[in-house]
């Protein structure tokens, strides 16, 4: 669990009192000693919109991984008792509306996050087939040419306002850019696995028809209600192997057709052919399938596979990108997400 966005339904609160309420919410300290709520805005409907961070409640940073429903209940209970049920504010707050829920999943990479960019390209192809009006965007450090964040959204809306999205990011870099250096040093000492974390965070706008009473919001099992659907959002929209297999076969056929034409030309070279087409060669598995289609003779095929693998391996090292193991990594990611379970 990461964050939720809620609206406080207010009753005729004066501007002066509203400002005091905003300040009290923003400065609310958890028992562990951290602020964990941001006041985002005062809506046109007259509601106060808040973002509550479950990890910050416990450790002051989302490097802490929320693993249980009980942890979520504690956060909601504390917030309700400290603010919503406080006699100072109770008469001005009639209910709570849940508007957005963010649930992250963590996959541990074997190398640098940006080396996985072919994974991100494949995800984009699958997601775009699944979502008719989807939008896939990558944010790159122009100095290092490294991917840091990739967003697959359900529509062309802004990053903030889209109805649902999958955001994949380098959690190490994400935190490094958000906090002061001395704080970040403490974080990486406390969480030595941070540099290996690929964060897959599903964020959805929640369309509940009714508001929660304060008591019902305190007891609402958010993680249990949304966890399975969010997990399936990743499995269905980027790790659907039926679609992945169809794409691989399509790409292999297209590559085989190109290869057959190129082989008839004088001075044909596998190296030149591979480098000419490398932009769209997301996975060595695609090349192997293309060679299988293109070459009938077993010995010739084996020699071609050996040559191509050597070329790809050298390209991987020089360009800091994974190509050879993509297919197995996709399966590993799928297995990892499937095994994610709730803790009481």
């Amino acid at each position: 669990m990461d964050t939720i966005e809620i609206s406080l339904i207010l009753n005729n609160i004066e501007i002066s009192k509203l400002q005091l309420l905003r300040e009290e919410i923003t400065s609310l300290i958890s028992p562990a000693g951290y602020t964990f709520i941001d006041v985002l805005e005062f809506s046109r409907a007259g509601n106060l919109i808040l973002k509550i961070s479950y990890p910050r409640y416990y450790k002051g940073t989302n490097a802490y991984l929320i693993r249980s429903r009980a942890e979520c209940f504690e956060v909601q209970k504390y917030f309700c008792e400290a603010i919503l049920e406080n006699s100072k504010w109770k008469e001005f707050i009639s209910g709570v509306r849940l508007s957005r829920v963010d649930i992250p999943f963590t996959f541990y990479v074997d190398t640098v996050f940006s080396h996985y960019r072919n994974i991100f390209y494949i995800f984009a192809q699958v997601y775009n087939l699944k979502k008719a009006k989807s939008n896939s965007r990558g944010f790159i450090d122009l100095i290092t040419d490294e991917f840091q964040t990739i967003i697959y959204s359900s529509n062309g809306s802004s990053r903030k306002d889209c109805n649902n999205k999958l955001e994949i990011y380098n959690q190490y870099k994400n935190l490094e850019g958000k906090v002061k250096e001395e704080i970040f040093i403490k974080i990486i000492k406390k969480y030595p696995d941070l540099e290996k974390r690929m964060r897959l965070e599903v964020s959805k706008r929640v369309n509940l028809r009714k508001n929660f009473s304060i008591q019902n919001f305190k007891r609402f099992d958010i993680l249990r209600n949304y966890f399975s659907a969010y997990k399936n959002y990743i499995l269905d929209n980027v790790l659907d192997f039926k679609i992945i297999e169809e794409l691989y076969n399509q790409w292999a056929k297209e590559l085989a057709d190109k290869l057959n034409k190129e082989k008839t030309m004088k001075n044909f070279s596998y190296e030149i052919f591979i480098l000419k087409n490398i932009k769209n060669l997301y996975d060595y598995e695609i090349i192997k399938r293309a060679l299988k289609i293109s070459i009938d003779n077993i010995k010739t095929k084996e020699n071609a596979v050996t040559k191509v693998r050597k070329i790809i391996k050298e390209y991987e090292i020089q360009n800091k990108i994974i190509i050879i193991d993509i297919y197995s990594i996709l399966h590993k990611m799928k297995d990892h997400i499937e095994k994610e379970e709730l803790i009481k």
Side-chain angles (χ1 to χ4, degrees):
M1 192 70 180
D2 190 32
T3 63
I4 59 170
E5 187 177 302
I6 64 170
S7 296
L8 298 187
I9 313 303
L10 304 178
N11 298 323
N12 302 318
I13 188 169
E14 299 173 1
I15 295 296
S16 59
K17 288 187 181 297
L18 175 63
Q19 185 57 35
L20 290 174
L21 175 60
R22 289 174 62 116
E23 291 172 0
E24 189 160 331
I25 291 172
T26 303
S27 60
L28 181 64
I29 304 293
S30 71
Y34 304 104
T35 59
F36 62 101
I37 305 174
D38 298 316
V39 178
L40 301 181
E41 60 180 311
F42 184 63
S43 73
R44 291 180 182 178
N47 303 323
L48 201 58
I49 301 176
L50 317 178
K51 186 175 183 178
I52 299 177
S53 170
Y54 292 82
R56 279 172 47 195
Y57 173 90
Y58 290 98
K59 300 295 180 181
T61 171
N62 74 344
Y64 177 70
L65 301 176
I66 295 290
R67 301 184 182 278
S68 73
R69 295 158 54 211
E71 288 175 305
C72 297
F73 282 129
E74 182 181 326
V75 177
Q76 289 158 226
K77 180 174 182 289
Y78 183 80
F79 167 65
C80 288
E81 292 178 351
I83 301 292
L84 306 189
E85 294 176 343
N86 189 315
S87 58
K88 184 166 47 175
W89 305 116
K90 196 171 183 179
E91 65 176 295
F92 300 111
I93 303 170
S94 63
V96 177
R97 180 175 300 151
L98 181 65
S99 54
R100 185 174 287 277
V101 176
D102 297 351
I103 299 178
F105 298 83
T106 302
F107 178 75
Y108 290 90
V109 302
D110 293 324
T111 182
V112 180
F113 176 89
S114 63
H115 293 186
Y116 287 74
R117 58 185 179 271
N118 276 350
I119 293 277
F120 310 144
Y121 293 142
I122 293 169
F123 281 178
Q125 298 285 350
V126 177
Y127 194 86
N128 288 356
L129 286 172
K130 290 283 192 168
K131 303 282 186 180
K133 297 181 180 180
S134 65
N135 193 335
S136 302
R137 291 162 290 169
F139 295 85
I140 301 174
D141 185 318
L142 294 177
I143 303 299
T144 63
D145 195 35
E146 292 183 352
F147 271 108
Q148 294 190 357
T149 302
I150 304 91
I151 298 173
Y152 308 95
S153 58
S154 60
N155 50 45
S157 301
S158 70
R159 185 177 180 181
K160 176 184 176 184
D161 297 327
C162 61
N163 293 328
N164 55 74
K165 66 180 179 180
L166 168 62
E167 187 166 341
I168 302 178
Y169 57 91
N170 180 339
Q171 195 173 23
Y172 180 95
K173 287 289 185 182
N174 181 269
L175 282 171
E176 186 180 35
K178 284 182 177 179
V179 302
K180 294 179 180 178
E181 185 178 358
E182 59 270 23
I183 296 175
F184 184 67
I185 290 170
K186 291 179 181 178
I187 290 173
I188 57 179
K189 284 183 179 179
K190 194 165 189 177
Y191 304 97
D193 66 337
L194 190 64
E195 201 165 4
K196 296 294 184 181
R197 292 187 194 176
M198 178 189 290
R199 186 92 148 182
L200 298 93
E201 185 168 293
V202 178
S203 175
K204 288 190 179 186
R205 190 177 297 282
V206 176
N207 294 312
L208 297 177
R209 294 182 178 275
K210 62 180 182 178
N211 301 330
F212 289 97
S213 68
I214 294 169
Q215 283 300 317
N216 285 341
F217 175 69
K218 186 194 295 187
R219 296 190 296 264
F220 184 52
D221 195 343
I222 295 176
L223 195 53
R224 184 172 186 175
N225 273 273
Y226 295 103
F227 181 84
S228 292
Y230 279 44
K231 180 168 79 168
N232 289 333
Y233 188 89
I234 298 174
L235 295 172
D236 293 344
N237 291 307
V238 296
L239 283 167
D240 182 338
F241 266 82
K242 181 181 177 182
I243 300 296
I244 291 171
E245 283 294 332
E246 289 173 358
L247 285 170
Y248 271 46
N249 290 332
Q250 175 192 323
W251 293 333
K253 177 64 170 61
E254 291 169 354
L255 188 64
D257 290 343
K258 287 183 181 180
L259 180 57
N260 288 335
K261 289 178 183 179
E262 292 275 343
K263 283 193 301 183
T264 63
M265 299 175 66
K266 188 178 180 180
N267 298 323
F268 169 77
S269 161
Y270 278 113
E271 183 170 9
I272 293 173
F273 176 77
I274 293 297
L275 295 178
K276 187 193 296 185
N277 293 281
I278 197 70
K279 184 179 179 182
N280 298 317
L281 301 183
Y282 305 129
D283 190 344
Y284 175 61
E285 174 68 21
I286 298 164
I287 306 167
K288 285 200 300 183
R289 294 185 189 190
L291 292 172
K292 185 176 181 180
I293 296 169
S294 178
I295 305 171
D296 293 326
N297 184 278
I298 295 175
K299 189 65 176 176
T300 305
K301 189 187 303 178
E302 289 175 352
N303 290 337
V305 167
T306 302
K307 285 179 184 178
V308 167
R309 184 179 177 85
K310 183 179 179 182
I311 295 164
I312 292 295
K313 195 66 183 175
E314 289 175 356
Y315 185 88
E316 280 188 325
I317 294 168
Q318 291 172 6
N319 293 273
K320 299 178 180 179
I321 184 172
I322 300 171
I323 302 176
I324 289 178
D325 294 324
I326 291 294
Y327 197 70
S328 63
I329 293 170
L330 286 169
H331 272 289
K332 191 186 294 185
M333 292 180 77
K334 182 176 183 290
D335 291 343
H336 179 78
I337 298 297
E338 284 179 333
K339 289 175 183 175
E340 287 279 342
E341 297 292 342
L342 286 176
I343 300 174
K344 290 183 180 180

